[in-house]
Amino acid sequence: MSDDAGVGNSSVTTHATKGGLRVLLVDDHVESVVSVGRLLRAQGYQVRAALSGIEAVSSAVDFLPDVALIDLSLPLLDGFAVARKLRSMSSTRGAFLIALTGWDSEDIVARARSAGFDRHMVKPLSLDAMLAVLSEAQAVAGAGASASAGTGSGAGAGAGAVSLG
């Protein structure tokens, strides 16, 4: 699915677009991938989509995302496992990881933090909140501090986003 589902061609690997970030969008609901992917591309982000955790890890190896928006409820390899795998690989260790879920319990937030996520966002997503978190991720990437993402107090995390640092 990498470049399908209406999210466009992700073959551009420079940071020349407005958003400048490579965003890996991982969700097993095609409609979500299509709609969120289109919104992000309209904002200038480079988007690659994956419909499963296994596809996400495979795509990340060659796409090298700056940010990954990962649904936690994925078949076979769930979002928690995807985050742990991305954190274990040197090429994706510094990516800004955002957990997307319908769950908002303290247990889920703690599990997301433990798996390596930088932020936790509850569906349905607000476009403003998502763009605020992506702006934060871009600032972190621009500062060259991806490895320390999410270590602040949560200021600037955007409405609807929980800082996991």
Side-chain angles (χ1 to χ4, degrees):
M1 151 128 283
S2 294
D3 299 320
D4 300 330
V7 295
N9 185 340
S10 62
S11 63
V12 176
T13 56
T14 65
H15 294 275
T17 59
K18 175 191 163 236
L21 294 179
R22 290 179 304 263
V23 178
L24 179 61
L25 179 58
V26 186
D27 198 318
D28 58 329
H29 292 100
V30 174
E31 297 83 11
S32 295
V33 169
V34 170
S35 60
V36 173
R38 284 182 180 155
L39 289 170
L40 293 178
R41 291 199 47 85
Q43 294 296 316
Y45 294 101
Q46 300 168 50
V47 179
R48 179 167 292 182
L51 295 176
S52 72
I54 293 168
E55 185 180 358
V57 172
S58 175
S59 291
V61 170
D62 62 274
F63 183 58
L64 301 175
D66 299 302
V67 177
L69 296 157
I70 305 169
D71 181 43
L72 294 179
S73 297
L74 297 168
L76 304 176
L77 188 64
D78 67 22
F80 301 106
V82 171
R84 285 190 294 274
K85 183 67 176 168
L86 294 179
R87 289 291 186 229
S88 74
M89 298 185 308
S90 61
S91 61
T92 56
R93 184 171 293 130
F96 195 92
L97 304 183
I98 303 166
L100 304 178
T101 181
W103 307 326
D104 194 20
S105 70
E106 288 182 28
D107 177 56
I108 296 300
V109 171
R111 286 182 60 201
R113 178 184 307 111
S114 177
F117 283 99
D118 297 294
R119 295 287 177 271
H120 175 269
M121 297 187 77
V122 178
K123 296 178 184 180
L125 298 176
S126 150
L127 178 60
D128 290 339
M130 184 171 47
L131 293 177
V133 172
L134 288 172
S135 290
E136 176 187 1
Q138 187 166 14
V140 168
S146 293
S148 63
T151 58
S153 64
V162 175
S163 173
L164 301 180

